[in-house]
Amino acid sequence: MRMRMNKELDDETEKRNLEEVEDKKKKKEINYSPYEKVKPHFKEMLSHYREYPDLFLDSVRSPNALFELAPFQRVYLRTFLRYKKVGMVASRGISKTYINVLSKYVKCILYPNVHEAIAMPTKNQSAKVTQEKITEIWRDYPMLKNELRNISFQKDYVKLTFKNGSTFDTLTVGESSRGLRANGISLEEIVDPRMDRDTINEVILPILAQPRRTRHGVDPNEISLTQSYVTTASHKQSYAYEKFKEIYDEMVSGRDSILLITSYE
């Protein structure tokens, strides 16, 4: 009887020792770096900020910032990151271009290896205005400049290269943009006659050919190949009216599009 009890104790001790050895092996295989410890919380925070980019900006805003997001501007920011196609008609003076450029900048931070682009009626205007807005963003959110690896400000071209592999640059609505590639594009002042319908449809929109790829492939839950149209109001005979009518019809039919119109008052 005593021998059987001793054998059971020995077997139990051996089993416990084997489990301890396995635990030690597993612990050696796990990388307990500071990032690994916070990784689950980091994933939750990143998902949260992708839905609420304005809250991300609140967390990095300078106490000396000259610009503070108004409630309707927060709505604009959220729609740019949540919808595949966005139309915005607004009067001058409500910082629509600032919000547009800011949304592109933030998306490049929150989505590694994404390529975002913006186009205006002329390449010089596109570069000049975009550079001005980026400088204002650095004034209000100076920490965001630390996310950049390279900055290229030229007379007719702007390109920001981020440390996470993302890029944000300016385009021209013309043949020189044929063959380029981007994951998201924004067209400013589409009411301008120089924003030609045929060039947009045949040259600019085909730029959106491939979605963003991660190290695991394409994210099926991500809204990629996005289009946004930001402009002041115009007449019904313009291409802008045609485009916004298209976005409106898509929105009311339940597709991933939204049209925002702000009164001049």
Side-chain angles (χ1 to χ4, degrees):
M1 181 70 176
R2 183 178 297 174
M3 291 179 62
R4 189 172 66 183
M5 290 179 63
N6 289 338
K7 186 177 185 306
E8 290 177 352
L9 287 173
D10 290 341
D11 291 344
E12 186 66 30
T13 302
E14 184 178 358
K15 182 180 178 181
R16 192 181 304 115
N17 289 337
L18 288 173
E19 289 177 350
E20 290 178 358
V21 170
E22 289 298 321
D23 287 342
K24 288 180 181 179
K25 287 182 179 179
K26 289 180 180 178
K27 288 180 179 180
K28 287 182 180 180
E29 294 173 357
I30 297 175
N31 179 13
Y32 285 102
S33 66
Y35 172 71
E36 289 296 329
K37 292 179 181 179
V38 302
K39 187 176 179 179
H41 305 292
F42 182 81
K43 289 167 64 176
E44 292 178 1
M45 180 184 67
L46 183 60
S47 297
H48 177 70
Y49 283 151
R50 284 178 174 181
E51 289 293 314
Y52 301 94
D54 55 305
L55 300 184
F56 165 71
L57 291 168
D58 288 343
S59 69
V60 297
R61 182 174 178 269
S62 169
N64 300 318
L66 301 181
F67 184 87
E68 183 173 0
L69 293 170
F72 74 92
Q73 291 166 335
R74 293 176 180 271
V75 172
Y76 287 166
L77 272 172
R78 295 179 187 184
T79 58
F80 280 131
L81 269 73
R82 294 183 186 183
Y83 289 86
K84 192 176 186 68
K85 190 181 293 186
V86 178
M88 181 192 300
V89 181
S91 60
R92 301 188 186 279
I94 67 168
S95 302
K96 59 182 181 296
T97 301
Y98 177 91
I99 297 298
N100 190 16
V101 174
L102 182 59
S103 71
K104 294 292 185 187
Y105 199 118
V106 170
K107 188 167 186 179
C108 285
I109 295 174
L110 299 179
Y111 289 86
N113 299 313
V114 73
H115 180 192
E116 294 291 322
I118 190 170
M120 298 181 191
T122 67
K123 58 183 180 181
N124 286 354
Q125 178 188 5
S126 185
K128 181 176 182 294
V129 173
T130 301
Q131 181 177 341
E132 288 176 354
K133 300 310 172 186
I134 291 172
T135 303
E136 292 174 11
I137 289 170
W138 290 340
R139 176 201 66 199
D140 298 328
Y141 308 95
M143 289 180 63
L144 298 186
K145 194 172 184 179
N146 297 334
E147 298 296 322
L148 299 172
R149 176 178 288 118
N150 187 56
I151 303 166
S152 178
F153 284 162
Q154 301 177 27
K155 181 180 179 181
D156 58 358
Y157 182 65
V158 167
K159 182 175 183 178
L160 302 182
T161 304
F162 292 76
K163 293 177 181 177
N164 64 1
S166 296
T167 58
F168 172 42
D169 58 4
T170 57
L171 299 177
T172 178
V173 180
E175 287 295 323
S176 61
S177 295
R178 188 181 293 275
L180 299 179
R181 292 292 176 262
N183 306 126
I185 189 167
S186 179
L187 297 175
E188 284 259 352
E189 291 304 323
I190 195 176
V191 297
D192 193 295
R194 290 169 292 186
M195 303 292 269
D196 178 63
R197 173 195 288 103
D198 293 337
T199 303
I200 291 174
N201 291 329
E202 297 174 9
V203 178
I204 300 302
L205 294 185
I207 290 174
L208 303 172
Q210 297 291 333
R212 182 184 76 102
R213 298 189 66 86
T214 70
R215 59 185 297 182
H216 306 292
V218 176
D219 184 353
N221 300 311
E222 179 184 337
I223 299 174
S224 191
L225 305 179
T226 58
Q227 306 172 35
S228 57
Y229 302 87
V230 180
T231 187
T232 49
S234 185
H235 50 81
K236 292 181 66 174
Q237 287 71 37
S238 69
Y239 172 58
Y241 179 83
E242 176 185 322
K243 175 57 67 174
F244 287 125
K245 179 65 167 57
E246 172 190 305
I247 295 174
Y248 174 80
D249 291 340
E250 292 176 355
M251 179 180 68
V252 297
S253 66
R255 296 179 63 182
D256 199 11
S257 302
I258 188 169
L259 179 61
L260 303 169
I261 300 178
T262 304
S263 169
Y264 71 93
E265 299 172 333

